[in-house]
Every structure is written in structure tokens, then in C-alpha cells.
Amino acid sequence: MTSRVPAPQPTQLAQPFWDALLEQRILIQRCNSCGNLIHNPKIRCPNCHGADLGWANCPTSGRIYSYTVVHRPLNDAFADNVPYVIGLVELDEVKVRLMTNIVNCDEEALEIGERVNAVFPKVADDFTVFAFEPAMSGAYDGR
């Protein structure tokens, strides 16, 4: 189990997303009227303003769209983790971009466009988060 303080506080609206992470799946809200994929969850579609919203399974792989290496965390709770990588990952096929940590990597060797796969660190018995690691992960023993 991974330590994560402060822990995310799921809302009722976002609970299906967090429940899917426990099953190592990424679930994104989808508008049943126009097909728009929505993240973070909303009560209405930002595209057509429809209220008929459901959920769609998304790929657990993608590419790094952008990233930054954090050397001075904004929250003291993450001070022991520096340096760490925060990235914007575009999921395959659906083109949804998720803000996430990029882990198990050499932060100096990361590249925009690099292929990544989701990992699902468990932070409590009933709570999982997601992060991404380079698709060729395993060769690097760092963070």
C-alpha cells in the first residue's frame, strides 16, 4: 500500500470513477445525447448541456501529452517524494487527457509522446488511485 496524504475525497457524482479504479479500470463520464467524454464528472454535458450522462470504460494506455518534474512540492505532505513527475496523459482511442503522476521512470529521460500504461496503487484497502508509467517500465529502479 502507498501512503498518500492528503487523500482524495470522492463526491457522490465521482464515485463510479473511484469504484472503477478499485477494479483497475478507468471509467470516464459520457454524454448519452452527444457522445462527449467528460472528465472531471459533471451534472450536465459541457458540450450540449444534456443531463443524460452515463459512464464509459476507457483504455489504460496512452501517450505523454505534457509533463513537469516537481522539485519543490506545494504541499508539505509530498516533500518526501521529490522529485516527482506530474503529467498530462492522452488516453488511446478516446483522446481524453488526464492529469496524473508518472511513476517508475527516470524523469530526465521522459519524452513528450512517450507511450505509458496505467498502474493502480492501492492507498487503503478500499481506495485506489491511478498513475502512469512508461510502457517500457521495469528497467529503471528509481521512482
Side-chain angles (χ1 to χ4, degrees):
M1 234 176 290
T2 304
S3 171
R4 187 173 195 92
V5 177
Q9 299 294 312
T11 63
Q12 184 176 0
L13 181 62
Q15 194 62 52
F17 170 80
W18 294 101
D19 290 344
L21 292 181
L22 280 169
E23 300 170 357
Q24 299 191 356
R25 296 181 302 125
I26 296 176
L27 202 59
I28 301 292
Q29 207 175 28
R30 177 186 302 233
C31 177
N32 293 322
S33 298
C34 72
N36 187 44
L37 290 171
I38 307 159
H39 187 75
N40 293 333
K42 312 261 187 266
I43 59 170
R44 293 199 169 271
C45 175
N47 185 53
C48 73
H49 306 290
D52 183 14
L53 305 175
W55 294 89
N57 279 305
C58 287
T60 57
S61 60
R63 295 187 181 275
I64 297 174
Y65 183 82
S66 182
Y67 73 94
T68 188
V69 179
V70 177
H71 294 277
R72 294 176 52 190
L74 295 177
N75 187 312
D76 290 338
F78 299 108
D80 292 341
N81 298 335
V82 292
Y84 59 90
V85 180
I86 296 176
L88 194 57
V89 169
E90 185 171 270
L91 298 179
D92 290 338
E93 301 165 25
V94 295
K95 305 302 181 204
V96 170
R97 294 181 190 146
L98 301 176
M99 185 70 66
T100 184
N101 286 103
I102 300 175
V103 298
N104 302 326
C105 64
D106 175 355
E107 52 272 344
E108 293 181 18
L110 283 178
E111 294 183 12
I112 301 296
E114 186 170 345
R115 303 246 351 116
V116 290
N117 295 319
V119 294
F120 299 90
K122 198 168 227 187
V123 295
D125 288 337
D126 62 347
F127 200 80
T128 298
V129 295
F130 70 97
F132 282 80
E133 66 182 8
M136 298 294 290
S137 185
Y140 181 70
D141 289 334
R143 286 178 198 262

